[in-house]
Amino acid sequence: MASDAHEPASEFSPPRLAVSQLKRIRRIVDAAIELAEAGGFEAVRLRDVADASGVALGTLYKYFRSKEDVLLFAVNEDNEQLLQILAARPPESALATERLVELFARATRGLTRRPHFARAVLRAIAASEAASAVQQAAFHLRMSRMIVAALRGAPADANTPLSVLVGSERERLIARVLQHVWFSSLIGWASGLHPIAMVTERMQETIELVLEPRE
Amino acid sequence: MASDAHEPASEFSPPRLAVSQLKRIRRIVDAAIELAEAGGFEAVRLRDVADASGVALGTLYKYFRSKEDVLLFAVNEDNEQLLQILAARPPESALATERLVELFARATRGLTRRPHFARAVLRAIAASEAASAVQQAAFHLRMSRMIVAALRGAPADANTPLSVLVGSERERLIARVLQHVWFSSLIGWASGLHPIAMVTERMQETIELVLEPRE
DNA sequence: TCGAGAACTGCAACCTGTTCTAATTCCTCG
DNA sequence: CGAGGAATTAGAACAGGTTGCAGTTCTCGA
């Protein structure tokens, strides 16, 4: 099923791509991001993406399986960047709960700074098929790494490959729970269930519930 | 935006529908469920749904805004039934954690008994627009009620209207967190990220993390 | 340098969600 | 009963994701 030429820059298949091809991919992704920023998921019409990036529709489909795939790729880039930033400037508070709250506040702000784009990628994540599971997993592993780092008050390690698991059993459990709540809250925001501020607020409550002993 | 004739049986607009109309809706929903059970989200082609239920496409669109809307309606029915069952036969364990684990085990089993249908509705939930937020909210409120009941070891109340909030602040927080984790895990399952057994396992871990004092 | 094969292009075609329309049927109220 | 309006129908039409194809261009190894 999962073939060879697909999934550019995936951390799993060695990139046998010429520079010109990488540039094409870049243009495709950039065009998709731009359209998504302007009008969300529906505004990303692949015909337009192809046009804007000076590429034929067929070429686009050579590199990406679907519309979701393009957006998933974009959000993974974003997320990778977040990891880099957090590695460089970790949350500074002395309290684990505060560090986590800050982590999620930053992540949420980073994502929803471009609300249309954020809604678009959330929709792409939620609707993605098994074929794109790899992308999802990468995102997940990256977030876990950041959460564990925040729990420990250590800077996140942006260099070791994602396949290396980090953290104790309990730390990984907490990381999973927080990610689930975050993701699900974001979906709720994207569906118009609640405003964005509530996402951060919910994360704060959740972090306190999970980390602090019962009152 | 939200108009009048839309959203049959919604708990918000008084049902001014003739019996014949209710029957049409029933046939539509049943046909959609059947197709979803057979082949998942993509197999629910609205032309086929209309055909199978002996209704014109236009009529279908008179009662439902979109494909997602039909599936959302179906899953809400399912969920309503779960609430009824739980009201009649609540989890029996003496321990709150065990009652919750059982609640989610039952809910998960009930949903994924028909895996294709489950994937279809999860996709519908995740991708739904603001227009369907009402349906989502109803689902959420119903789940909250069941969770709070399980926390207390009391039978769920299936009769008071959903608009009445139940539980203390803390109980509602726990209910939210558990729902988020559940939903997000299910999405992960639906995307092929992990097997269904893992959903139940993750719920168990999460419930213990949230309810039991730190080790 | 040359030729084979891969990459790319432009474009048409297909599918399915969604919308629209012009008839037709049904129901209700006077 | 009869008229008017709502509900329904069949079917066309439109949009955008996805696929397929025939021809052109690029690239790379011999």
Side-chain angles (χ1 to χ4, degrees):
Chain A
M1 238 116 269
S3 70
D4 25 38
H6 275 295
E7 303 319 310
S10 143
E11 17 268 302
F12 291 75
S13 62
R16 282 197 194 301
L17 298 174
V19 177
S20 65
Q21 294 180 298
L22 293 178
K23 280 189 186 161
R24 262 187 212 105
I25 291 173
R26 183 102 302 278
R27 287 205 310 273
I28 292 170
V29 176
D30 287 343
I33 292 174
E34 194 167 336
L35 289 170
E37 280 181 26
F41 191 81
E42 326 82 64
V44 183
R45 280 172 307 205
L46 293 189
R47 285 168 174 87
D48 294 353
V49 172
D51 273 6
S53 52
V55 138
L57 205 46
T59 304
L60 194 161
Y61 271 97
K62 181 164 205 298
Y63 292 111
F64 300 95
R65 285 172 207 276
S66 67
K67 179 170 168 170
E68 279 86 20
D69 225 32
V70 182
L71 292 168
L72 238 30
F73 184 81
V75 79
N76 261 311
E77 281 191 333
D78 232 50
N79 188 245
E80 171 62 32
Q81 198 193 336
L82 178 64
L83 176 55
Q84 300 290 344
I85 293 176
L86 280 170
R89 311 219 336 283
E92 296 199 333
S93 165
L95 290 171
T97 62
E98 287 184 12
R99 289 193 299 271
L100 282 171
V101 169
E102 185 182 334
L103 164 60
F104 280 100
R106 280 211 226 173
T108 305
R109 195 164 46 242
L111 188 63
T112 60
R113 170 181 32 128
R114 301 171 294 178
H116 288 125
F117 172 74
R119 278 181 218 262
V121 299
L122 282 167
R123 176 151 172 187
I125 293 176
S128 68
E129 308 278 309
S132 311
V134 173
Q135 302 251 20
Q136 301 236 31
F139 190 99
H140 178 77
L141 291 171
R142 228 178 274 113
M143 286 297 298
S144 288
R145 190 160 294 188
M146 298 185 231
I147 295 170
V148 170
L151 269 170
R152 297 182 170 179
D157 178 358
N159 296 316
T160 43
L162 286 180
S163 47
V164 180
L165 281 189
V166 302
S168 69
E169 185 108 352
R170 182 163 208 276
E171 287 169 325
R172 291 211 302 276
L173 168 59
I174 290 173
R176 267 201 306 270
V177 169
L178 295 182
Q179 278 186 81
H180 282 315
V181 173
W182 189 53
F183 171 70
S184 178
S185 290
L186 283 171
I187 293 281
W189 162 71
S191 307
L193 236 51
H194 49 243
I196 190 63
M198 190 153 300
V199 174
T200 303
E201 192 184 318
R202 294 266 157 102
M203 288 315 301
Q204 168 143 18
E205 296 168 350
T206 305
I207 289 163
E208 285 165 6
L209 176 67
V210 165
L211 285 193
E212 281 165 15
R214 282 220 234 184
E215 319 119 29
Chain B
M1 245 116 263
S3 72
D4 26 39
H6 276 294
E7 303 317 310
S10 143
E11 18 268 302
F12 292 74
S13 62
R16 280 195 196 303
L17 298 174
V19 177
S20 65
Q21 294 181 296
L22 293 179
K23 280 189 187 161
R24 263 187 211 105
I25 291 172
R26 184 101 302 278
R27 289 205 308 274
I28 291 171
V29 176
D30 287 343
I33 292 174
E34 194 166 337
L35 288 170
E37 280 182 26
F41 190 81
E42 325 82 63
V44 183
R45 279 172 307 204
L46 292 188
R47 283 169 176 85
D48 293 353
V49 172
D51 274 5
S53 52
V55 137
L57 206 46
T59 305
L60 194 160
Y61 271 97
K62 182 166 207 298
Y63 292 111
F64 300 95
R65 284 172 208 275
S66 67
K67 178 168 168 173
E68 279 85 20
D69 226 30
V70 181
L71 291 167
L72 239 30
F73 184 81
V75 78
N76 262 311
E77 282 191 333
D78 233 51
N79 190 244
E80 172 62 32
Q81 198 193 336
L82 178 65
L83 175 57
Q84 300 290 346
I85 293 177
L86 280 170
R89 312 219 333 285
E92 298 199 330
S93 165
L95 290 171
T97 62
E98 286 183 13
R99 289 193 299 272
L100 281 171
V101 170
E102 184 182 336
L103 164 59
F104 279 100
R106 280 210 226 174
T108 305
R109 196 164 45 241
L111 188 63
T112 59
R113 169 181 32 126
R114 301 170 294 177
H116 288 125
F117 173 75
R119 280 182 216 262
V121 299
L122 283 167
R123 176 152 171 185
I125 293 175
S128 67
E129 308 278 310
S132 310
V134 173
Q135 302 251 21
Q136 300 234 33
F139 190 98
H140 179 77
L141 291 170
R142 226 178 276 114
M143 285 298 299
S144 288
R145 191 161 291 188
M146 298 186 231
I147 294 170
V148 170
L151 268 171
R152 297 181 169 178
D157 178 358
N159 298 315
T160 43
L162 286 180
S163 47
V164 179
L165 281 190
V166 302
S168 69
E169 184 108 353
R170 182 163 209 278
E171 287 169 325
R172 290 211 303 276
L173 169 59
I174 290 173
R176 267 202 306 270
V177 170
L178 294 182
Q179 279 185 81
H180 282 316
V181 174
W182 189 54
F183 172 68
S184 177
S185 290
L186 283 170
I187 293 282
W189 163 72
S191 307
L193 237 51
H194 48 242
I196 190 63
M198 190 153 300
V199 174
T200 303
E201 191 184 317
R202 295 264 157 103
M203 288 315 301
Q204 168 143 17
E205 296 167 349
T206 305
I207 290 164
E208 285 165 6
L209 177 67
V210 166
L211 286 193
E212 281 165 15
R214 282 222 233 183
E215 319 121 29

